[in-house]
Amino acid sequence: LEACGLTTIQSGMDNVRNAVGSPIAAIDPMEIVDTIPVCNDLTEYVINFGKMNERIANLPRKWNVCVVGSHDLYEHPHINDLAYMPAEKSGKFGYNLLVGGFFSATACEEAISMDAWVPEEHVIHTCDAILTTFRDFGARSGRQKCRMMWLIKDMGLENFRDEVANRMPGGRLETEGKDLVDTSHKRRDYHGVHKQKQEGLNYVGLNVPAGRIQAKDMFEIARLAEEYGSGETRLTVEQNYIIPNVPDDKVEALLQEPLLTTGEGFATAFRPNPGRLVKDLVSCTGNQFCALALIETKATGKALAEALEATMDFTRDVRMHWTGCPNTCGQVQVADIGFLGCQTKNPTGEKGNVDGVKIFLGGNIGHDAALGKEVAKVACSELLPYVQDLLVEKFGATRKSKGSLTSEDEVAIKYWQDFPFNSGGGPAVFPANGNGEYVKPTT
């Protein structure tokens, strides 16, 4: 792992998670700042160059940090404990600070402005000052009230800021600078082929449906990156791949590769031009591997998205997020439509509960970030007609006529009709030795 630049230090439990930057840092023609050096510095501070930084190894709760590099806010700053936002003050480049964003089973909050600006050279000092304040004053009793926003509320933002300032070089913090992020900017879609700032090179965004990656897929992505690019791959927070540094004369050949087209030989295709729903589909692990998840999420979410694309026409992308339990690792509150796993009454009237979801609407990311609200509880087996109505009413979709359905559409519809609901993510959904193929039951 070390040889590949990977580490397991501080990768779980009550500590700092990996620093997040722009997925197209250093290659984006429109970027404000290359986030790679800053994220690398933050990482080395957290892991102490592979030795572990014991000063911040025992926090009250987990803690997330990101560095924003473009106007698109690919890093989702509003849901991080600390977000560095590019800003200028007195002609000098630095960062404004947002603090306190988080998700939990009992509460979710957007990050708020700390009314603070720090120059580039004080990024690590700031991170350390905030983390040690959280370490020293954060609650350690009830797990659901230990995230940093609870401390900010308990102390009051002004007192929290004063404590952080006292721990900074010189014992002070500058007030907020001029934000360099254009809030009128429309978020760009990174899927497909895009020109890099480096002449003659392109980056290619590939969709990974529901974020499910098999070992065979990963080997193939590595091969494609080496054959068509520079051997580098990138991951996005939406669980998708980006292959950078593809020369102009290699783009078409890359786009014809089986993994990007038919998916033949793989569990599914990683398309550069996915459908309106599959494109932004996000899912947690689900109950195939997570003991906390109440339902299977990845195969169910993919099957529903494909059935909806088979039966509906869209004028816009619709972001759908799935999570298997109230801890909301799938971040359903920022989705256009969120699906939070639960158990609900059997819609057939038979005794006992079945797999279901709580539906969330109204979430958003980017400059108009907002948290969605729960609006309904629906059995998974009843989701197709319910979500079809939602898409018509809220998102301007229309139903396809039966005569317009393609053979591919019919397959997706049949797959949903035959889907093994309530199977617990077992072999009926994920057959052994099947490379993760999402297949319908054989009986």
Side-chain angles (χ1 to χ4, degrees), residues 10 25 30 85 90 105 121 162 164 186 195 205 219 243 279 330 333 343-344 360 396 410 422 432 440:
Q10 298 271 62
M30 295 180 61
M85 305 292 292
S90 302
E121 62 267 25
D162 288 345
V164 171
K186 183 179 179 181
K195 293 291 184 182
F219 280 113
I243 299 179
K279 174 188 291 185
Q333 288 83 358
Q343 294 294 295
T344 189
F360 285 74
E410 297 285 4
N422 311 306
K440 61 180 181 291

Side-chain angles (χ1 to χ4, degrees), residues 328-340:
T328 193
C329 296
Q331 303 174 346
V332 297
Q333 288 83 358
V334 295
D336 291 320
I337 307 176
F339 303 84
L340 192 154

Side-chain angles (χ1 to χ4, degrees), residues 420 423 425-431 439-441:
S423 64
V429 180
F430 300 103
V439 300
K440 61 180 181 291

Side-chain angles (χ1 to χ4, degrees), residues 152-171:
I152 294 171
K153 289 184 174 182
D154 287 344
M155 292 183 70
L157 180 60
E158 185 175 350
N159 291 333
F160 178 83
R161 187 187 186 282
D162 288 345
E163 181 61 37
V164 171
N166 289 336
R167 299 172 184 232
M168 289 289 292

